[in-house]
């Protein structure tokens, strides 16, 4: 970060406790990517999921990514001062998408695989109806802010 002042956010390689790679680099989502894939069998949307989760990049090189998971965010203070903190409209789930894309407009948002962390991803909304409800409501809020079919990127 000290050598690259144009970088506002860095995320390391993220691994499950068993050492398997978590696909934490993503493209900006469409409603299909975040809502419909939650309810459709993965076999039906495999190619779209691989595209959305940027499988083709290999996860072995530094790359600028428009949406980095909130499981680990190394943030530049000046970037937060410029774009603001987490949007309080989003209690859970899309807050990382919103913050990453706001930083991405002003700075680089980078995936850095030379460092890794372990994250026990619980997938709470897959196990709890209450968390699923919160997830869906907050995704509706996210798409109301950024656009459902035509992204309001400014």
């Amino acid at each position: 970060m000290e050598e690259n002042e144009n970088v506002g956010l860095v995320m390391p390689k993220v691994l499950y406790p068993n050492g398997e790679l978590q696909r934490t680099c993503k493209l900006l989502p469409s409603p299909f990517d975040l809502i419909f894939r939650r309810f459709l069998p993965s076999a039906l949307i495999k190619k779209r999921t691989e595209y959305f989760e940027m499988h083709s990049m290999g996860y072995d090189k530094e790359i600028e990514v428009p949406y980095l998971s909130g499981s680990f965010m190394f943030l530049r203070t000046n970037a937060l001062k410029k774009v603001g903190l987490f949007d309080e409209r989003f209690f859970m789930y899309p807050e990382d998408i919103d913050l990453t894309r706001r930083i991405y407009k002003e700075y680089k948002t980078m995936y850095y695989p030379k460092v890794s962390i372990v994250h026990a991803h619980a997938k709470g909304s897959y196990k709890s109806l209450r968390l699923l409800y919160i997830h869906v409501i907050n995704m509706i809020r996210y798409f109301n802010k950024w656009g459902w079919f035509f992204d309001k990127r400014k």
Side-chain angles (χ1 to χ4, degrees):
M1 292 288 268
E2 289 178 6
E3 295 173 7
N4 298 284
E5 292 189 20
N6 60 342
V7 174
L9 166 60
V10 174
M11 179 176 193
K13 180 184 288 190
V14 180
L15 305 170
Y16 289 103
N18 68 3
E20 183 182 337
L21 177 70
Q22 287 186 36
R23 303 288 179 168
T24 53
C25 299
K26 298 178 180 81
L27 300 175
L28 291 177
S30 69
F32 180 80
D33 294 316
L34 293 182
I35 296 173
F36 303 132
R37 81 178 187 141
R38 171 66 172 79
F39 301 102
L40 294 175
S42 59
L44 290 177
I45 55 170
K46 184 178 187 286
K47 285 188 180 195
R48 178 62 192 183
T49 298
E50 288 175 356
Y51 173 75
F52 172 65
E53 293 178 344
M54 302 177 70
H55 288 221
S56 65
M57 76 172 212
Y59 281 77
D60 57 353
K61 61 184 174 281
E62 294 178 40
I63 187 169
E64 188 172 5
V65 179
Y67 161 29
L68 293 165
S69 168
S71 60
F72 186 102
M73 296 177 136
F74 185 55
L75 298 154
R76 182 175 301 285
T77 304
N78 287 341
L80 289 174
K81 287 178 181 176
K82 187 169 189 173
V83 306
L85 301 174
F86 286 107
D87 187 328
E88 293 185 10
R89 285 179 278 189
F90 311 122
F91 169 63
M92 289 175 74
Y93 299 108
E95 75 281 0
D96 54 351
I97 310 168
D98 178 73
L99 182 61
T100 301
R101 73 181 299 161
R102 286 186 285 123
I103 294 172
Y104 184 74
K105 285 172 42 177
E106 305 291 336
Y107 297 86
K108 288 185 176 186
T109 52
M110 301 296 298
Y111 171 71
Y112 187 75
K114 294 176 185 169
V115 173
S116 64
I117 61 141
V118 174
H119 174 242
H121 187 210
K123 288 191 171 184
S125 70
Y126 283 73
K127 300 172 187 169
S128 161
L129 286 176
R130 180 176 172 273
L131 291 178
L132 174 60
Y133 173 78
I134 291 168
H135 195 162
V136 170
I137 293 300
N138 282 291
M139 293 315 305
I140 290 169
R141 290 176 181 152
Y142 171 84
F143 287 115
N144 283 345
K145 176 178 181 176
W146 291 102
W148 283 84
F149 299 102
F150 300 101
D151 199 302
K152 299 175 187 173
R153 287 178 240 183
K154 296 177 181 163

